[in-house]
Coordinates of all heavy atoms in Angstrom, one line a residue:
E287 N -9.9 23.0 -95.3 CA -8.7 23.3 -96.2 C -8.8 22.6 -97.6 O -8.6 23.0 -98.6 CB -7.5 23.1 -95.5 CG -6.3 23.4 -96.4 CD -4.9 23.1 -95.7 OE1 -4.9 23.0 -94.5 OE2 -3.9 22.9 -96.5
L288 N -9.2 21.3 -97.3 CA -9.4 20.3 -98.6 C -10.7 20.4 -99.2 O -11.0 19.7 -100.2 CB -9.1 18.9 -98.1 CG -7.7 18.6 -97.6 CD1 -7.6 17.1 -97.1 CD2 -6.6 18.9 -98.6
G289 N -11.7 21.2 -98.7 CA -12.9 21.4 -99.4 C -14.0 20.5 -99.0 O -15.1 20.4 -99.7
Y290 N -13.9 19.7 -98.0 CA -14.8 18.8 -97.5 C -15.9 19.5 -96.5 O -16.9 18.8 -96.2 CB -14.2 17.6 -96.8 CG -13.5 16.7 -97.8 CD1 -12.0 17.0 -98.0 CD2 -14.1 15.7 -98.5 CE1 -11.3 16.2 -98.9 CE2 -13.4 15.0 -99.5 CZ -12.0 15.1 -99.6 OH -11.3 14.4 -100.5
L291 N -15.5 20.6 -96.0 CA -16.3 21.3 -95.1 C -16.6 22.7 -95.7 O -15.6 23.4 -96.2 CB -15.9 21.5 -93.7 CG -16.1 20.2 -92.8 CD1 -15.4 20.6 -91.4 CD2 -17.4 19.9 -92.6
T292 N -17.8 23.2 -95.7 CA -18.1 24.6 -96.1 C -18.5 25.5 -94.9 O -19.5 25.2 -94.4 CB -19.1 24.7 -97.2 OG1 -18.7 23.9 -98.3 CG2 -19.4 26.1 -97.7
I293 N -17.6 26.3 -94.5 CA -17.9 27.2 -93.3 C -17.7 28.6 -93.7 O -16.7 29.0 -94.1 CB -16.8 26.9 -92.2 CG1 -16.8 25.4 -91.9 CG2 -17.2 27.6 -90.9 CD1 -15.8 24.9 -90.9
P294 N -18.8 29.4 -93.5 CA -18.8 30.9 -93.9 C -17.8 31.6 -93.0 O -17.5 31.2 -91.9 CB -20.3 31.3 -93.5 CG -21.1 30.1 -93.6 CD -20.2 29.0 -93.1
E295 N -17.2 32.6 -93.6 CA -16.1 33.4 -92.9 C -16.8 34.0 -91.7 O -17.9 34.6 -91.8 CB -15.6 34.4 -93.9 CG -14.4 35.1 -93.3 CD -13.8 36.1 -94.4 OE1 -14.1 36.0 -95.5 OE2 -12.9 36.9 -94.0
G296 N -16.0 34.0 -90.6 CA -16.5 34.6 -89.4 C -17.5 33.8 -88.6 O -17.9 34.2 -87.5
M297 N -17.7 32.5 -89.1 CA -18.6 31.6 -88.3 C -18.0 31.0 -87.1 O -18.7 30.7 -86.1 CB -19.0 30.5 -89.3 CG -20.1 29.6 -88.8 SD -21.7 30.4 -88.9 CE -22.7 29.1 -88.3
I298 N -16.7 30.7 -87.1 CA -16.0 30.1 -86.0 C -15.6 31.1 -85.0 O -14.9 32.2 -85.3 CB -14.8 29.3 -86.5 CG1 -15.2 28.3 -87.5 CG2 -14.1 28.6 -85.3 CD1 -16.2 27.2 -87.0
V299 N -15.9 30.9 -83.8 CA -15.4 31.8 -82.6 C -14.4 31.0 -81.7 O -14.5 29.8 -81.7 CB -16.5 32.3 -81.8 CG1 -17.5 33.1 -82.7 CG2 -17.4 31.2 -81.1
E300 N -13.5 31.7 -81.0 CA -12.6 31.2 -80.1 C -13.3 30.7 -78.8 O -14.3 31.3 -78.4 CB -11.5 32.2 -79.8 CG -10.6 32.6 -80.9 CD -9.9 31.4 -81.6 OE1 -9.5 30.5 -80.8 OE2 -9.8 31.5 -82.8
A301 N -12.7 29.7 -78.2 CA -13.3 29.1 -77.0 C -13.4 30.1 -75.9 O -14.5 30.1 -75.2 CB -12.5 27.9 -76.6
N302 N -12.4 31.0 -75.8 CA -12.5 32.0 -74.7 C -13.5 33.1 -74.9 O -13.9 33.9 -74.0 CB -11.1 32.6 -74.4 CG -10.6 33.3 -75.7 OD1 -11.3 33.5 -76.6 ND2 -9.3 33.6 -75.6
E303 N -14.3 33.0 -76.1 CA -15.3 34.1 -76.3 C -16.7 33.5 -76.0 O -17.6 34.3 -75.9 CB -15.2 34.4 -77.8 CG -14.0 35.1 -78.2 CD -14.1 35.4 -79.8 OE1 -15.1 36.0 -80.2 OE2 -13.1 35.0 -80.5
I304 N -16.8 32.2 -75.9 CA -18.1 31.5 -75.8 C -18.9 32.0 -74.6 O -20.2 32.4 -74.7 CB -17.9 30.1 -75.8 CG1 -17.4 29.6 -77.1 CG2 -19.3 29.3 -75.5 CD1 -17.0 28.1 -77.2
N305 N -18.3 32.0 -73.4 CA -19.1 32.4 -72.2 C -19.6 33.8 -72.2 O -20.6 34.1 -71.6 CB -18.3 32.1 -70.9 CG -18.3 30.6 -70.4 OD1 -19.1 29.9 -71.0 ND2 -17.5 30.3 -69.5
G306 N -18.9 34.7 -72.9 CA -19.3 36.0 -73.0 C -20.3 36.4 -74.1 O -20.7 37.6 -74.1
M307 N -20.7 35.4 -74.8 CA -21.7 35.6 -76.0 C -23.0 35.4 -75.5 O -23.3 34.8 -74.5 CB -21.3 34.7 -77.1 CG -20.0 34.9 -77.7 SD -19.6 33.7 -79.1 CE -21.0 34.0 -80.3
D308 N -24.0 35.9 -76.3 CA -25.4 35.8 -76.1 C -25.7 34.2 -76.2 O -25.4 33.7 -77.2 CB -26.2 36.4 -77.1 CG -27.8 36.3 -77.0 OD1 -28.2 35.4 -76.2 OD2 -28.5 37.0 -77.7
P309 N -26.1 33.5 -75.2 CA -26.3 32.1 -75.2 C -27.1 31.5 -76.3 O -27.0 30.4 -76.7 CB -26.8 31.7 -73.8 CG -27.3 33.0 -73.3 CD -26.6 34.0 -73.8
E310 N -28.0 32.4 -76.8 CA -28.9 32.0 -77.9 C -28.2 32.0 -79.3 O -28.8 31.7 -80.2 CB -30.1 32.8 -77.9 CG -31.0 32.7 -76.7 CD -32.2 33.6 -76.7 OE1 -32.4 34.3 -77.7 OE2 -33.2 33.5 -75.8
R311 N -27.0 32.5 -79.3 CA -26.3 32.7 -80.5 C -25.1 31.8 -80.7 O -24.1 32.2 -81.4 CB -26.0 34.2 -80.7 CG -27.1 35.1 -80.8 CD -27.9 34.8 -82.2 NE -29.2 35.4 -82.3 CZ -30.3 34.8 -82.1 NH1 -30.3 33.6 -81.9 NH2 -31.5 35.5 -82.3
V312 N -24.8 30.8 -79.9 CA -23.7 30.0 -80.0 C -24.0 28.5 -79.9 O -24.9 28.1 -79.2 CB -22.7 30.4 -78.8 CG1 -23.3 30.1 -77.5 CG2 -21.4 29.6 -78.9
V313 N -23.3 27.7 -80.7 CA -23.3 26.3 -80.5 C -21.8 25.8 -80.5 O -20.9 26.1 -81.2 CB -24.0 25.6 -81.7 CG1 -23.5 26.0 -83.1 CG2 -24.0 24.2 -81.7
V314 N -21.6 24.9 -79.5 CA -20.3 24.3 -79.3 C -20.3 22.9 -79.8 O -21.0 22.1 -79.4 CB -19.9 24.4 -77.8 CG1 -18.5 23.8 -77.6 CG2 -19.9 25.8 -77.3
I315 N -19.3 22.6 -80.8 CA -19.0 21.2 -81.3 C -17.8 20.7 -80.4 O -16.8 21.4 -80.5 CB -18.8 21.1 -82.8 CG1 -19.8 21.9 -83.5 CG2 -18.7 19.8 -83.2 CD1 -19.6 22.1 -85.0
C316 N -18.0 19.7 -79.8 CA -16.9 19.1 -79.0 C -16.6 17.6 -79.1 O -17.4 16.8 -79.6 CB -17.2 19.4 -77.5 SG -18.5 18.7 -76.8
T317 N -15.4 17.2 -78.7 CA -15.0 15.8 -78.6 C -15.6 15.2 -77.3 O -16.0 15.9 -76.4 CB -13.6 15.6 -78.8 OG1 -12.9 16.3 -77.6 CG2 -13.0 16.2 -80.1
G318 N -15.4 13.9 -77.3 CA -15.8 13.1 -76.0 C -17.1 12.4 -76.0 O -17.5 12.1 -74.9
S319 N -17.6 12.1 -77.1 CA -18.9 11.4 -77.2 C -18.8 9.9 -76.7 O -19.9 9.3 -76.5 CB -19.4 11.5 -78.7 OG -18.5 10.8 -79.5
Q320 N -17.7 9.5 -76.6 CA -17.4 8.1 -76.1 C -17.0 8.0 -74.6 O -16.6 7.0 -74.1 CB -16.4 7.4 -76.9 CG -16.8 7.1 -78.5 CD -18.1 6.5 -78.4 OE1 -18.3 5.3 -77.9 NE2 -19.1 6.9 -79.2
G321 N -17.1 9.2 -73.9 CA -16.9 9.2 -72.5 C -15.4 9.2 -72.1 O -15.0 9.0 -70.9
E322 N -14.5 9.6 -73.1 CA -13.1 9.6 -72.8 C -12.9 10.7 -71.6 O -13.3 11.9 -71.7 CB -12.3 10.2 -74.0 CG -12.4 9.3 -75.2 CD -13.5 9.8 -76.2 OE1 -14.7 10.2 -75.6 OE2 -13.4 9.8 -77.3
P323 N -12.1 10.3 -70.5 CA -12.0 11.1 -69.3 C -11.4 12.5 -69.5 O -11.7 13.3 -68.8 CB -11.2 10.1 -68.4 CG -10.5 9.2 -69.2 CD -11.4 9.0 -70.4
M324 N -10.5 12.6 -70.4 CA -9.8 13.9 -70.6 C -10.4 14.7 -71.8 O -9.9 15.8 -72.1 CB -8.3 13.6 -70.8 CG -7.7 13.1 -69.6 SD -7.9 14.0 -68.1 CE -7.1 15.6 -68.5
A325 N -11.4 14.2 -72.5 CA -12.0 14.9 -73.7 C -12.9 16.0 -73.2 O -13.2 16.1 -72.1 CB -12.8 13.9 -74.5
A326 N -13.2 16.9 -74.1 CA -13.9 18.1 -73.8 C -15.2 17.8 -73.1 O -15.5 18.5 -72.0 CB -14.1 19.0 -75.0
L327 N -16.0 17.0 -73.6 CA -17.3 16.7 -73.0 C -17.2 16.2 -71.6 O -18.1 16.7 -70.6 CB -18.1 15.7 -73.8 CG -19.6 15.6 -73.4 CD1 -20.4 16.8 -73.5 CD2 -20.3 14.4 -74.2
S328 N -16.3 15.4 -71.3 CA -16.1 14.9 -69.9 C -15.7 16.0 -69.0 O -16.3 16.2 -67.8 CB -15.1 13.8 -69.9 OG -14.9 13.4 -68.6
R329 N -15.0 16.9 -69.3 CA -14.5 18.0 -68.6 C -15.6 19.1 -68.4 O -15.8 19.7 -67.3 CB -13.3 18.7 -69.1 CG -12.0 17.7 -69.0 CD -11.0 18.1 -70.0 NE -10.5 19.4 -69.8 CZ -9.7 20.1 -70.8 NH1 -9.6 19.3 -72.0 NH2 -9.3 21.3 -70.7
L330 N -16.4 19.3 -69.4 CA -17.5 20.2 -69.3 C -18.6 19.6 -68.3 O -19.2 20.3 -67.5 CB -18.2 20.3 -70.7 CG -17.6 21.1 -71.8 CD1 -18.1 20.9 -73.1 CD2 -17.6 22.5 -71.4
S331 N -18.7 18.3 -68.3 CA -19.7 17.7 -67.5 C -19.4 17.7 -66.0 O -20.2 17.7 -65.1 CB -19.9 16.2 -67.9 OG -18.9 15.4 -67.4
T332 N -18.1 18.0 -65.7 CA -17.6 18.0 -64.3 C -17.3 19.5 -64.0 O -16.8 19.8 -62.8 CB -16.4 17.1 -64.0 OG1 -15.5 17.5 -64.9 CG2 -16.7 15.7 -64.2
G333 N -17.5 20.4 -64.8 CA -17.3 21.7 -64.6 C -15.9 22.2 -64.6 O -15.5 23.2 -63.9
T334 N -14.9 21.4 -65.2 CA -13.5 21.6 -65.1 C -12.9 22.1 -66.4 O -11.7 22.1 -66.5 CB -12.8 20.3 -64.6 OG1 -13.1 19.3 -65.5 CG2 -13.1 20.0 -63.2
Y335 N -13.7 22.4 -67.4 CA -13.3 23.0 -68.6 C -13.0 24.5 -68.3 O -13.9 25.3 -68.1 CB -14.2 22.8 -69.8 CG -13.5 22.8 -71.2 CD1 -13.0 21.8 -71.7 CD2 -13.2 24.1 -71.6 CE1 -12.4 21.8 -73.0 CE2 -12.6 24.2 -72.9 CZ -12.1 23.1 -73.5 OH -11.5 23.2 -74.7
R336 N -11.8 25.0 -68.4 CA -11.5 26.3 -67.9 C -12.2 27.4 -68.6 O -12.7 28.4 -68.1 CB -10.0 26.5 -68.0 CG -9.4 27.8 -67.5 CD -8.0 27.8 -67.4 NE -7.3 27.5 -68.7 CZ -7.0 28.5 -69.6 NH1 -7.4 29.7 -69.4 NH2 -6.5 28.1 -70.7
Q337 N -12.3 27.4 -70.0 CA -12.8 28.5 -70.8 C -14.4 28.5 -71.0 O -14.9 29.6 -71.2 CB -12.1 28.5 -72.3 CG -10.6 28.7 -72.1 CD -10.0 28.4 -73.4 OE1 -10.1 27.3 -74.0 NE2 -9.2 29.3 -73.9
V338 N -14.9 27.3 -70.8 CA -16.4 27.3 -71.1 C -17.1 26.5 -70.0 O -16.6 25.5 -69.5 CB -16.6 26.6 -72.5 CG1 -18.1 26.7 -72.9 CG2 -15.8 27.2 -73.6
S339 N -18.4 26.9 -69.9 CA -19.2 26.2 -68.8 C -20.6 25.8 -69.3 O -21.2 26.5 -70.2 CB -19.4 27.0 -67.6 OG -18.2 27.5 -67.0
V340 N -21.1 24.7 -68.8 CA -22.4 24.2 -69.1 C -23.3 24.8 -68.0 O -23.1 24.4 -66.8 CB -22.6 22.7 -69.2 CG1 -24.0 22.2 -69.3 CG2 -21.7 22.1 -70.3
L341 N -24.3 25.6 -68.3 CA -25.2 26.2 -67.3 C -26.5 25.6 -67.4 O -26.9 25.1 -68.4 CB -25.3 27.8 -67.6 CG -23.8 28.5 -67.6 CD1 -24.1 29.9 -67.9 CD2 -23.1 28.3 -66.2
P342 N -27.3 25.8 -66.3 CA -28.8 25.3 -66.3 C -29.5 25.9 -67.5 O -29.4 27.0 -67.8 CB -29.3 25.8 -64.9 CG -28.0 25.9 -64.0 CD -26.9 26.4 -64.9
G343 N -30.1 25.0 -68.1 CA -31.0 25.4 -69.3 C -30.2 25.2 -70.6 O -31.0 25.3 -71.6
D344 N -28.9 25.1 -70.6 CA -28.2 24.8 -71.9 C -28.7 23.3 -72.3 O -29.0 22.5 -71.6 CB -26.7 24.8 -71.7 CG -26.1 26.1 -71.4 OD1 -26.8 27.2 -71.7 OD2 -25.0 26.2 -70.9
T345 N -28.6 23.2 -73.7 CA -28.9 21.9 -74.3 C -27.6 21.2 -74.7 O -26.6 21.8 -75.3 CB -29.7 22.1 -75.6 OG1 -31.0 22.8 -75.2 CG2 -30.0 20.8 -76.3
V346 N -27.5 19.9 -74.3 CA -26.3 19.1 -74.7 C -26.8 18.0 -75.5 O -27.7 17.2 -75.1 CB -25.5 18.6 -73.4 CG1 -24.3 17.8 -73.8 CG2 -25.1 19.8 -72.6
I347 N -26.3 17.7 -76.7 CA -26.7 16.6 -77.6 C -25.5 15.7 -77.8 O -24.4 16.1 -78.1 CB -27.1 17.3 -78.9 CG1 -28.2 18.2 -78.8 CG2 -27.5 16.1 -79.9 CD1 -28.5 19.0 -80.0
L348 N -25.7 14.5 -77.6 CA -24.7 13.4 -77.8 C -25.0 12.8 -79.2 O -26.0 11.9 -79.3 CB -24.7 12.3 -76.8 CG -23.7 12.6 -75.6 CD1 -24.3 13.8 -74.8 CD2 -23.6 11.4 -74.7
S349 N -24.4 13.2 -80.2 CA -24.7 12.7 -81.6 C -23.8 11.6 -82.0 O -22.9 11.6 -82.8 CB -24.5 13.9 -82.6 OG -24.9 13.6 -83.9
S350 N -24.0 10.5 -81.3 CA -23.3 9.3 -81.5 C -23.9 8.2 -80.6 O -24.8 8.5 -79.8 CB -21.8 9.4 -81.0 OG -21.8 9.7 -79.6
S351 N -23.4 7.0 -80.8 CA -23.9 5.9 -79.9 C -22.5 5.2 -79.3 O -21.6 5.3 -79.9 CB -24.6 4.8 -80.7 OG -23.8 4.3 -81.7
P352 N -22.7 4.8 -78.1 CA -21.5 4.3 -77.4 C -20.9 3.0 -78.1 O -21.6 2.1 -78.5 CB -21.9 3.9 -76.0 CG -23.2 4.7 -75.8 CD -23.8 4.7 -77.1
I353 N -19.5 3.1 -78.3 CA -18.8 1.9 -78.8 C -19.0 0.8 -77.6 O -18.8 1.2 -76.5 CB -17.4 2.2 -79.1 CG1 -17.4 3.1 -80.4 CG2 -16.6 0.9 -79.4 CD1 -15.9 3.7 -80.6
P354 N -19.1 -0.5 -78.0 CA -19.3 -1.5 -76.9 C -18.1 -1.3 -75.9 O -16.9 -1.3 -76.4 CB -19.2 -2.8 -77.7 CG -19.8 -2.4 -79.0 CD -19.4 -1.0 -79.3
G355 N -18.4 -1.3 -74.7 CA -17.4 -1.1 -73.6 C -17.4 0.3 -73.0 O -16.7 0.5 -71.9
N356 N -17.9 1.3 -73.9 CA -17.9 2.7 -73.3 C -19.2 3.1 -72.7 O -19.4 4.3 -72.3 CB -17.6 3.5 -74.4 CG -16.2 3.4 -75.1 OD1 -15.4 2.8 -74.4 ND2 -16.0 4.0 -76.3
E357 N -20.2 2.2 -72.5 CA -21.5 2.6 -72.1 C -21.5 3.2 -70.7 O -22.1 4.3 -70.4 CB -22.4 1.3 -72.0 CG -22.7 0.8 -73.4 CD -21.7 -0.3 -73.9 OE1 -20.7 -0.5 -73.1 OE2 -22.0 -0.9 -74.9
K358 N -20.7 2.7 -69.8 CA -20.6 3.2 -68.3 C -20.1 4.7 -68.4 O -20.5 5.5 -67.7 CB -19.7 2.3 -67.5 CG -20.4 1.0 -67.1 CD -19.6 0.2 -66.2 CE -20.3 -1.1 -65.7 NZ -19.6 -1.9 -64.8
S359 N -19.1 4.9 -69.1 CA -18.4 6.2 -69.1 C -19.4 7.3 -69.7 O -19.5 8.3 -69.2 CB -17.1 6.2 -70.0 OG -16.1 5.2 -69.4
V360 N -20.1 6.8 -70.8 CA -21.0 7.7 -71.4 C -22.2 8.0 -70.4 O -22.7 9.3 -70.3 CB -21.5 7.2 -72.8 CG1 -22.7 8.1 -73.3 CG2 -20.4 7.1 -73.7

Side-chain angles (χ1 to χ4, degrees):
E287 181 182 340
L288 296 176
Y290 292 91
L291 282 176
T292 302
I293 307 175
E295 188 174 350
M297 188 76 178
I298 304 293
V299 299
E300 296 298 323
N302 57 11
E303 300 177 49
I304 294 171
N305 274 352
M307 295 177 63
D308 181 348
E310 295 180 356
R311 293 290 172 259
V312 63
V313 55
V314 177
I315 311 176
C316 61
T317 57
S319 62
Q320 294 303 306
E322 303 95 316
M324 295 307 296
L327 186 63
S328 179
R329 291 155 61 198
L330 286 167
S331 75
T332 55
T334 56
Y335 201 99
R336 184 170 55 87
Q337 297 169 304
V338 187
S339 301
V340 176
L341 300 177
D344 287 347
T345 298
V346 183
I347 301 169
L348 274 67
S349 185
S350 64
S351 61
I353 293 171
N356 293 346
E357 295 88 352
K358 287 184 179 179
S359 300
V360 174

